[in-house]
């Protein structure tokens, strides 16, 4: 279980770093088809990740569990060429997991692709819903609400009509202060 963590400022001294970053990385291996206890990633805050490389807020590689109630704020305006993923969900057949009620805010500077939720392939047993997916598109960066395999949703309506949950929203959370206080002030959330 990964619960109640504040993950912030890992690169304050080297903000031009171009390495891949995984604030939370979950991987489950079905060793001999023996199912381990289910993983749960919940109530975590990821913010102030100042990096110029690809950033994955939560990287879930066949997590076989639940990803609930996390706040992911990737908003480094100083980035020049950064791909950003709020939640990256990879899976194999036989794994079951849910991604629900997360708040994902992406407003990364520079060029690059920015994804709220990204599933490289459609896998049975993976469900998501109730997530707020606020992904900002800039003149030099493409913001994508979500991806299911080859199907992309750049607006909340596209996302929902292409397999995203009808309960997902695209609302600016209006954080009290995204650097120090991650409470949303948007009463619609």
């Amino acid at each position: 279980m990964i619960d109640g963590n504040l993950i912030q400022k890992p690169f304050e001294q080297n903000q031009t770093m171009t390495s891949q970053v995984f604030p939370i990385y979950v991987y489950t291996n079905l060793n001999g088809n023996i199912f381990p206890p289910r993983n749960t990633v919940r109530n975590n805050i990821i913010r102030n990740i100042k990096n110029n490389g690809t950033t994955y807020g939560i990287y879930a590689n066949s997590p076989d569990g639940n990803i609930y109630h996390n706040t992911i704020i990737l908003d480094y305006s100083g980035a020049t060429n950064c791909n950003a993923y709020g939640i990256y969900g990879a899976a194999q057949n036989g794994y079951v997991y849910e991604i629900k009620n997360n708040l994902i805010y992406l407003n990364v500077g520079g060029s690059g692709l920015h994804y709220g939720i990204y599933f490289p392939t459609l896998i049975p047993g993976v469900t998501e819903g109730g997530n707020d997916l606020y992904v900002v598109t800039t003149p030099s960066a493409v913001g994508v609400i979500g991806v299911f395999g080859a199907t992309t949703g750049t607006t909340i309506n596209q996302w929902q009509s292409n397999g995203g949950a009808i309960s997902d929203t695209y609302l600016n959370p209006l954080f009290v202060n995204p650097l120090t206080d991650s409470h949303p002030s948007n009463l619609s959330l």
Side-chain angles (χ1 to χ4, degrees):
M1 179 174 303
I2 301 171
D3 183 18
N5 296 287
L6 173 60
I7 301 169
Q8 66 177 351
K9 299 183 181 181
F11 307 109
E12 278 303 295
Q13 304 305 313
N14 187 8
Q15 296 178 13
T16 59
M17 190 174 104
T18 58
S19 299
Q20 290 184 334
V21 178
F22 305 89
I24 294 179
Y25 187 105
V26 181
Y27 176 74
T28 300
N29 182 8
L30 289 181
N31 187 2
N33 292 324
I34 299 172
F35 284 88
R38 291 178 57 80
N39 292 299
T40 299
V41 179
R42 68 179 183 201
N43 302 319
N44 299 287
I45 298 172
I46 298 169
R47 67 181 186 203
N48 293 340
I49 309 295
K50 296 177 180 176
N51 178 40
N52 213 23
T54 300
T55 303
Y56 301 88
I58 296 176
Y59 189 96
N61 187 350
S62 305
D64 199 42
N66 306 312
I67 301 172
Y68 293 153
H69 304 289
N70 298 284
T71 298
I72 301 166
I73 305 168
L74 302 179
D75 69 341
Y76 179 42
S77 62
T80 57
N81 185 17
C82 174
N83 292 330
Y85 299 82
I87 296 177
Y88 185 100
Q92 301 169 19
N93 285 329
Y95 293 89
V96 176
Y97 66 100
E98 294 180 324
I99 298 174
K100 293 197 174 187
N101 302 319
N102 297 284
L103 197 160
I104 299 170
Y105 177 89
L106 302 177
N107 189 12
V108 180
S111 61
L113 298 171
H114 307 146
Y115 302 98
I117 292 182
Y118 188 94
F119 297 103
T121 57
L122 272 177
I123 303 293
V126 177
T127 59
E128 70 82 29
N131 299 294
D132 183 48
L133 307 165
Y134 191 76
V135 183
V136 176
T137 296
T138 66
S140 58
V142 177
V144 178
I145 303 297
V147 173
F148 276 126
T151 304
T152 300
T154 55
T155 67
I156 194 67
N157 291 336
Q158 284 178 336
W159 171 243
Q160 291 169 338
S161 65
N162 291 326
I166 197 72
S167 60
D168 288 340
T169 58
Y170 177 83
L171 297 171
N172 186 340
L174 303 172
F175 295 110
V176 173
N177 182 331
L179 301 177
T180 60
D181 186 346
S182 302
H183 291 92
S185 64
N186 188 333
L187 299 178
S188 296
L189 288 174

